[in-house]
Amino acid sequence: MTRAMGLDVGSKTIGVALSDPTYLIAQAKETIRHSTQERDVDQLEAIIRDYDVTEVVIGLPRHMNNALSDSARRAQSYGAALVRRGVRVFYQDERLTTRQATEVLKQTGVRRENRKAHVDAIAATFILQAWLDRNGRKHEQ
């Protein structure tokens, strides 16, 4: 059964989330520390193969005035690299997802020094869940 994957492409790490096979629920998978884009995409491609991912949803950070940020261009660059490898890529507005993820980690008692290890994967979960809520069942095959 296929799944969707969500990505939060940060400056130092990439948060990864996966949907369940029914395309209803997103769950944090892991956080990848940046190496080179090629190596990062190799790692993502391994996850795509291992979990039978059919589409990748990448968070697209925008400023509050809707303009694309420098981070958005980085996310689009990763998206383009995945497309060149034959992966279907979608973009999801990710404004405030890192703030939401940090708040969830605070509320669940994760200590400040441990939050950085999880915040990007949690943010990827919010990105993917928003996409699933809007589009998930349409893409399930």
Side-chain angles (χ1 to χ4, degrees):
M1 296 187 69
T2 65
R3 299 172 190 263
M5 181 165 73
L7 301 177
D8 179 36
V9 180
S11 60
K12 296 179 183 173
T13 61
I14 302 170
V16 180
L18 293 171
S19 75
D20 69 321
T22 65
Y23 281 59
L24 292 175
I25 301 169
Q27 184 175 8
K29 166 75 173 106
E30 65 183 87
T31 301
I32 297 171
R33 180 154 295 288
H34 279 300
S35 176
T36 65
Q37 187 179 63
E38 186 174 347
R39 285 185 187 149
D40 295 348
V41 173
D42 286 345
Q43 283 185 271
L44 294 171
E45 200 169 39
I47 296 168
I48 289 167
R49 271 192 316 273
D50 291 347
Y51 289 90
D52 199 18
V53 170
T54 57
E55 52 261 323
V56 175
V57 181
I58 300 175
L60 196 60
R62 294 180 176 273
H63 296 295
M64 287 305 181
N65 67 1
N66 215 29
L68 292 176
S69 67
D70 289 338
S71 297
R73 287 181 261 294
R74 182 182 325 104
Q76 288 174 321
S77 176
Y78 273 82
L82 287 166
V83 166
R84 283 192 296 275
R85 293 191 186 194
V87 177
R88 288 191 333 171
V89 172
F90 299 89
Y91 294 96
Q92 173 67 39
D93 186 347
E94 73 157 61
R95 280 179 276 202
L96 304 178
T97 56
T98 299
R99 184 174 292 162
Q100 289 173 310
T102 300
E103 192 58 36
V104 165
L105 291 169
K106 281 181 191 177
Q107 289 176 5
T108 56
V110 176
R111 295 173 55 101
R112 179 190 287 199
E113 58 269 17
N114 296 328
R115 286 184 206 142
K116 282 187 179 182
H118 304 286
V119 72
D120 290 328
I122 301 296
T125 304
F126 282 120
I127 291 163
L128 180 56
Q129 189 64 57
W131 184 85
L132 290 171
D133 290 347
R134 202 175 72 243
N135 299 301
R137 301 292 275 168
K138 292 182 222 169
H139 293 278
E140 182 186 1
Q141 295 294 330

